[in-house]
Amino acid sequence: MSEPPRDQRVVHLTGGTGIQIGSGNQQIIHYHAPARSPWPVRVGRVPMVADCYQMRTVEEQLGGTATTVITGMGGVGKTQIVAEYARRLWSDPAVDLAVWTTAADRDTIIDTFAQAARAIGQAAPGDDAVTGAQALVNWMATTKRRWLVVLDDLQDPADVHGLWPPEGGSTIVTTRRRDSALRRTTWQMVEVGLYTSGESLAYLHSTVTQPHLLDGAAELASEMGGLPLALAQAAGYVQDVEITCAEYVRQFRTGRDVTPDVLPDEHQHTVKRAWALSVERADRLTPAAVARPLLELLSFLDPNGTVTAVVTTAVTLAYLGVRANAAVSAEDALRALQILRRLSLAETDLAQPHRGIRVHALVQHATRAEIEDESLIATFAAQALADCWPEIEQDAVLGQSLRANAAELLRHSLTHLWSRGGHAILHRYGQSLGEAGLVSSAAAHFENMATTAAQVLGADHPSALTMRGELGTWRGNSGDVAGAIVEVERLLADRVRLQGRDDTATLATRHNLACWRGKAGDLRGAVAELDRLLEIERQVLGAGDPATLTTRYTRALWRSSVDGADQVVTDFEDLLADWLRVRGANDPGTLTVRHELARCRGKAGDPTGAVIEFRGLVNDQMRVHGAQHPHTLAARHELVDWQGIAGDVTGAIAGFDKLVADSTRLLGTDHPATLSARSGLLRHRARTGSLPEVARELEQLLADRTRVLGPDHPETLNTRGSLATVRGGCGDVAQAVAETEQVLRDRTRVLGPDHPHTRASKEHLEYWRGRL
């Protein structure tokens, strides 16, 4: 264009340019409208819809309000959902303007908005991008035309400050963010979740076209955790390399790179990189450099739910402080947790503190893959988890959560924990399994721990010996008394060799061996062994040492089985006086001695006195330990049992009904205490004459005890004996004889011929044979 005359100048008007001719009051402006693109106008590129795309229920919620925010973790398919919706509008001539922009940063948003403004004639080619973007926003606020704007993968709500499309059209945002800035009252926020297992399998079956490669498809679907991005890339790799889904899972678990050479469906990033971008942004937010190390620690714990308190333990704060090179408070740690939530790297539910934090398993996997020293962080995670573990579990949900987290930690880092000294969590996890009634699982755990400790630390290491001691304990508690004796005998020999006969650990092992011999039926041998141990402990530890007092307690227990309860009442009375003097009235040992003293008095012929003493003991247990403590529940069990024995059967049934309900609520359906309360309830209900109904419930109790404790556990055998007796009471004497014969054979095999329970089975069998 030639230069305008001196008395002319170019002016820019909304919608075009003009030439101003003349000056002063003599001005003539000639307007030249620009060439306009015919409606409809499309700006940007809608991503292609994924192969084998599956409709999601979220699509039904699009278009319902002026602004819809689609949020969710990276890889759940937010862009695909909106692309499927936008493609329909892209071809609809009734939509005058449709704009798609990848909202990675503010500059990209501004450039795309400016391009749209020029396309519809709201900005001149020479206008700067900011002016053009603002012109588009102004136009959208006043136009009568239909328009759609998609802000895909918004990284930071601040990038759209001053540019948010107004009401009047349709705006859709996809983002991993959940900031309050995206939760306006007139907007709709929609959470996109993971595929269900059924949707995951359907996707694999529709994508992997060679049937033989689908071997292990269910396992692959589970391993990918329902994440569409991961499933698509896994399916691509399976077909590119021509391996089965099962082989993919195997390679994935070993840490091998299983990314296809060409990403499917125009994916911009691998699964790992998709989250790395979010982690990098999270780590820059205040408190700086805390979110990443917190995510690394959480990546070793249960993806289905982690105890919220893990985040604020002293060891966690110390670890975060070292990584951030600054002091980190509990408030900082919780703020970092919320940052992870805002960027969809974690889910939080502070209303459920026992499982209040969830990090997807694939996010965990990708996070661990970037860690240089896994053993260090795993050890911090182990200590943080151990610090959250109560000494006595009184909350079944908390116990389940802690065990699930410990199991996940062990799955990834068992060798690391042994080599780094994270032994506390290994020990506490096994004890918790046993205390929850999972006695066979506890025995299996400690067998694994004993083997691993010997391999990593050496067979004579103190921690290896401790695990062997626990192995003996839980083998016996699971019903394998003979196996417990063998294990503890070997351990005792090694402790004497390594630590000497007078070491406290050696004495404790000798005490345990005497107990297991007694449970195997050698009652007099157990008492004799405890007599010898008591003499040594008095010399080495002193008469007032808790270990010495405990041996006296155990000796009295076994004497009551040998000589009768009436012969040991004085033993328990003397022991109680000494325990009170040494440890005080509120010591758990004092309360335990009172418990057994009350039982002995009841067995000695004074059930009313037992009721009185247990009533006082229940009150004291509640005062010292609380209503939910296992010792309190045990005292309540004895109280209502002796109440029934003393003649108040109706009161005992009511008491056991409440105890079963409380035990189920506090400890869980399968806890041994709950099963024992059910047994006590049925024992007293049998006295009211409703034997057919009691028989049916005993059958269910037997099934539950067999499932939880195993077929050879003493309590399982007890229930079988009770069921045989009730069948006889119902008139089926032949069945009572047959079942009692089998119980006698199994008790002889498991407990030995001289055990009191075995002798009781012999007496019952003689009775029913006589009736037959």
Side-chain angles (χ1 to χ4, degrees), residues 109-180:
I109 297 170
I110 289 174
D111 288 345
T112 307
F113 276 23
Q115 179 185 349
R118 288 191 293 270
I120 63 174
Q122 294 301 305
D127 286 345
D128 64 83
V130 173
T131 301
Q134 193 59 58
L136 176 68
V137 175
N138 294 340
W139 175 83
M140 288 188 292
T142 58
T143 186
K144 299 294 186 182
R145 293 186 178 276
R146 287 184 61 191
W147 53 265
L148 164 71
V149 173
V150 177
L151 298 167
D152 184 38
D153 196 19
L154 178 65
Q155 297 293 315
D156 189 342
D159 289 342
V160 202
H161 182 68
L163 297 174
W164 279 108
E167 307 291 331
S170 180
T171 302
I172 301 177
V173 182
T174 72
T175 182
R176 304 176 199 186
R177 302 289 291 263
R178 300 171 177 173
D179 304 64
S180 58

Side-chain angles (χ1 to χ4, degrees), residues 11-25:
V11 297
H12 296 280
L13 304 175
T14 301
T17 60
I19 304 294
Q20 177 178 302
I21 305 175
S23 60
N25 296 326

Side-chain angles (χ1 to χ4, degrees), residues 213-224:
L213 299 183
L214 287 168
D215 177 41
E219 186 181 14
L220 174 57
S222 176
E223 190 75 16
M224 297 299 101

Side-chain angles (χ1 to χ4, degrees), residues 139-465:
W139 175 83
M140 288 188 292
T142 58
T143 186
K144 299 294 186 182
R145 293 186 178 276
R146 287 184 61 191
W147 53 265
L148 164 71
V149 173
V150 177
L151 298 167
D152 184 38
D153 196 19
L154 178 65
Q155 297 293 315
D156 189 342
D159 289 342
V160 202
H161 182 68
L163 297 174
W164 279 108
E167 307 291 331
S170 180
T171 302
I172 301 177
V173 182
T174 72
T175 182
R176 304 176 199 186
R177 302 289 291 263
R178 300 171 177 173
D179 304 64
S180 58
L182 299 173
R183 297 179 180 274
R184 300 185 187 181
T185 55
T186 57
W187 293 4
Q188 176 182 221
M189 178 169 275
V190 179
E191 292 270 354
V192 178
L194 303 162
Y195 278 167
T196 65
S197 58
E199 289 171 335
S200 297
L201 272 176
Y203 176 82
L204 289 174
H205 279 273
S206 61
T207 306
V208 179
T209 56
Q210 296 170 272
H212 70 281
L213 299 183
L214 287 168
D215 177 41
E219 186 181 14
L220 174 57
S222 176
E223 190 75 16
M224 297 299 101
L227 189 72
L229 179 70
L231 284 165
Q233 295 185 9
Y237 189 86
V238 162
Q239 296 189 102
D240 288 349
V241 186
E242 293 193 27
I243 60 173
T244 65
C245 293
E247 175 60 17
Y248 180 95
V249 172
R250 189 193 68 77
Q251 294 185 20
F252 176 81
R253 288 175 177 171
T254 62
R256 182 171 175 176
D257 183 9
V258 285
T259 305
D261 293 333
V262 178
L263 297 181
D265 302 327
E266 294 188 330
H267 290 177
Q268 298 299 308
H269 303 292
T270 64
V271 174
K272 183 165 65 174
R273 184 58 185 159
W275 289 314
L277 296 170
S278 294
V279 175
E280 290 166 8
R281 180 172 290 274
D283 221 30
R284 292 196 295 269
L285 298 177
T286 304
V290 177
R292 182 191 296 274
L294 179 58
L295 181 62
E296 290 175 351
L297 187 146
L298 294 173
S299 71
F300 288 88
L301 301 176
D302 185 13
N304 299 310
T306 298
V307 182
T308 306
V310 163
V311 172
T312 55
T313 64
V315 70
T316 300
L317 299 181
Y319 156 73
L320 296 176
V322 170
R323 292 290 303 277
N325 197 27
V328 174
S329 65
E331 291 75 14
D332 292 333
L334 290 173
R335 194 175 298 117
L337 177 62
Q338 291 308 311
I339 288 172
L340 295 177
R341 186 197 67 82
R342 282 167 54 193
L343 276 85
S344 297
L345 291 165
E347 298 289 337
T348 61
D349 184 358
L350 300 183
Q352 298 186 30
H354 299 339
R355 291 191 178 273
I357 306 170
R358 292 186 301 279
V359 178
H360 192 279
L362 290 182
V363 175
Q364 293 181 318
H365 184 276
T367 302
R368 289 194 305 272
E370 299 298 312
I371 297 173
E372 292 184 4
D373 187 356
E374 284 195 25
S375 64
L376 178 63
I377 301 176
T379 304
F380 275 111
Q383 188 57 56
L385 196 61
D387 289 348
C388 295
W389 220 307
E391 184 178 352
I392 299 293
E393 291 178 23
Q394 301 184 44
D395 187 321
V397 176
L398 175 59
Q400 291 168 0
S401 177
L402 290 169
R403 289 191 295 275
N405 277 272
E408 187 70 16
L409 182 62
L410 268 61
R411 190 167 73 88
H412 297 298
S413 310
L414 178 58
T415 303
H416 293 323
L417 294 175
W418 277 119
S419 61
R420 282 275 190 173
H423 307 173
I425 195 68
L426 306 177
H427 189 256
R428 189 66 189 92
Y429 170 56
Q431 284 186 321
S432 179
L433 286 170
E435 291 165 1
L438 306 171
V439 288
S440 297
S441 297
H445 167 77
F446 281 116
E447 183 170 11
N448 183 24
M449 293 304 99
T451 301
T452 309
Q455 293 170 346
V456 177
L457 304 175
D460 292 342
H461 191 280
S463 291
L465 299 177

Side-chain angles (χ1 to χ4, degrees), residues 84-107:
E84 172 69 14
Y85 173 77
R87 280 193 174 277
R88 295 196 298 270
L89 298 185
W90 223 252
S91 59
D92 184 356
V95 178
D96 297 305
L97 173 66
V99 179
W100 183 291
T101 179
T102 301
D105 53 59
R106 185 172 178 84
D107 288 343

